[in-house]
Amino acid sequence: MKIERLLGITMILLSQRRVNAQSLADKFEVSLRTIYRDLETINMAGIPIVSYTGSDGGYEIMEQFRLDRQIVTFEDLQSILVALKGVQASLDDAEMDGLLTKIKALVAKSEQHQLEELGETLMFDTKLWHGGGIQDRSMLAALRQAAKQRSVVSFRYTNTEGIGEQREVEPLGLAWKGYAWYLYAYCRLRSDYRTFRVSRISGLRLQLETFANRGVRMEELDARWGNQETGPLIPLLLRFPPRLRVRVEEAFGLDNVDKQDDGTLLVRASYPDNHWMYGMLLSYGPDVEVLEPLAVADTIKNLGQQIYLTYHKEAPQ
């Protein structure tokens, strides 16, 4: 326990500019006398600690001291910190907090001033715009812990059609894809590996049962991305008005957009024939025309008519 505390104090001193002895005592739930002894022990071990008196006094490690980080550059550490902070934003994991502290400890004191002056020039944030509250973070933490311990979990999963099913799975891990978290797991109902969007999971329960490693890695499952429930891709030919140029280029990519002489935009893209594709097309309202294939155009027309009827029902007699 003492060794862990000494390591923890060292990491905090390396990652922060100056630390008050009382704050260390509060964090590690020991007396001030114990903290003073720990600081002396760390100093005797060869890590030079300097004390300062006054209103802003405290303890810090000498300016030029740092842990040997070998070939990792200051810029490398900046990038690692940005990525870790982004993941931590939605995971809220205590282990991730500790990892951030350790990474910060690899930055020399003199470089920490530079880090503060530069500020954040890049932000990676996995929090959803709707806020992603405590319940979201709790589920992610529970799924991650289950994957680490190889514990079977059960939950109710709702697909894009609104159909819910009870699933029992062997979780492998979590992946951030595009704008959402996904669970990679072996599904006992389907007798195969599946990806589950975490936002569609409810009623999560961790079972006492554990499972054996089936020898499949997340990287292998990632190669199957888009081939489990999406179906074959359909090539589309779409036409948009000129005023949607920015939105269309952002959505489909410059290489897939051809500007015509009259200013209209022709887009060639391929998507799976599922509910998401039709929802995406309908999001453009009357500003998109499906030129090919005709079957997709007919489906969009029928959906449009259903929407019209929803808002033009006959008044009850």
Side-chain angles (χ1 to χ4, degrees):
M1 190 67 184
K2 180 180 178 180
I3 293 176
E4 292 178 359
R5 187 174 67 249
L6 291 172
L7 179 59
I9 293 172
T10 303
M11 290 301 178
I12 291 173
L13 289 171
L14 284 167
S15 62
Q16 297 183 25
R17 188 170 182 177
R18 189 171 298 174
V19 183
N20 180 277
Q22 185 62 57
S23 66
L24 290 174
D26 294 340
K27 180 174 180 61
F28 294 99
E29 298 180 348
V30 294
S31 66
L32 274 172
R33 180 176 296 181
T34 299
I35 292 297
Y36 294 143
R37 286 200 300 264
D38 288 344
L39 291 170
E40 184 179 354
T41 301
I42 294 170
N43 197 44
M44 291 175 62
I47 300 177
I49 297 176
V50 182
S51 63
Y52 294 87
T53 59
S55 58
D56 62 338
Y59 295 85
E60 66 180 64
I61 292 176
M62 288 184 64
E63 186 72 13
Q64 298 303 319
F65 182 85
R66 66 174 181 179
L67 294 179
D68 182 12
R69 65 187 188 212
Q70 298 180 344
I71 61 173
V72 181
T73 67
F74 173 65
E75 289 73 19
D76 293 335
L77 291 174
Q78 276 186 300
S79 299
I80 293 171
L81 286 171
V82 167
L84 288 176
K85 287 178 181 178
V87 175
Q88 175 67 343
S90 60
L91 286 182
D92 195 22
D93 193 313
E95 291 183 9
M96 195 70 69
D97 284 333
L99 180 56
L100 277 167
T101 299
K102 292 176 183 178
I103 295 298
K104 288 178 181 178
L106 296 177
V107 182
K109 287 288 183 178
S110 56
E111 291 175 330
Q112 287 182 18
H113 298 302
Q114 184 182 352
L115 195 64
E116 294 173 3
E117 290 174 2
L118 289 175
E120 297 287 1
T121 58
L122 177 67
M123 179 178 288
F124 169 67
D125 195 345
T126 56
K127 289 200 305 290
L128 299 180
W129 279 108
H130 67 67
I134 295 175
Q135 184 176 359
D136 296 335
R137 294 196 297 271
S138 297
M139 183 175 293
L140 288 170
L143 289 171
R144 187 161 176 252
Q145 191 65 21
K148 286 181 179 180
Q149 298 175 350
R150 292 184 182 170
S151 299
V152 176
V153 300
S154 61
F155 51 78
R156 184 169 182 80
Y157 189 71
T158 305
N159 63 18
T160 54
E161 306 294 332
I163 300 173
E165 272 185 321
Q166 192 67 22
R167 303 289 185 104
E168 187 174 80
V169 307
E170 302 169 8
L172 267 71
L174 295 165
W176 175 262
K177 285 287 186 178
Y179 54 89
W181 283 102
Y182 288 84
L183 171 69
Y184 284 45
Y186 180 84
C187 179
R188 292 182 171 181
L189 179 64
R190 298 287 186 260
S191 298
D192 196 4
Y193 288 93
R194 289 290 188 270
T195 55
F196 301 93
R197 183 163 169 164
V198 174
S199 61
R200 298 178 189 157
I201 292 175
S202 61
L204 177 67
R205 295 184 61 187
L206 275 65
Q207 310 291 344
L208 295 177
E209 179 186 358
T210 58
F211 60 90
N213 189 346
R214 295 177 180 268
V216 177
R217 298 181 304 162
M218 285 186 64
E219 290 82 357
E220 298 174 44
L221 295 178
D222 202 52
R224 303 186 193 178
W225 184 260
N227 295 325
Q228 295 176 16
E229 298 180 1
T230 57
L233 299 179
I234 295 179
L236 301 175
L237 179 60
L238 313 171
R239 180 158 57 200
F240 295 89
R243 60 184 177 80
L244 261 65
R245 180 184 61 83
V246 174
R247 180 183 175 187
V248 169
E249 289 177 351
E250 288 178 347
F252 299 97
L254 286 171
D255 294 339
N256 298 317
V257 180
D258 291 325
K259 185 177 180 180
Q260 304 301 294
D261 293 338
D262 61 355
T264 58
L265 308 169
L266 288 184
V267 173
R268 294 186 181 276
S270 297
Y271 291 99
D273 186 12
N274 60 18
H275 181 77
W276 181 89
M277 182 190 73
Y278 291 105
M280 180 271 294
L281 293 173
L282 286 171
S283 70
Y284 289 93
D287 289 325
V288 61
E289 180 183 358
V290 180
L291 302 178
E292 296 176 6
L294 295 179
V296 174
D298 289 339
T299 300
I300 291 293
K301 182 174 67 175
N302 292 333
L303 290 171
Q305 290 174 343
Q306 293 174 28
I307 293 172
Y308 175 85
L309 292 175
T310 298
Y311 291 96
H312 291 79
K313 295 178 181 178
E314 292 185 6
Q317 301 294 328

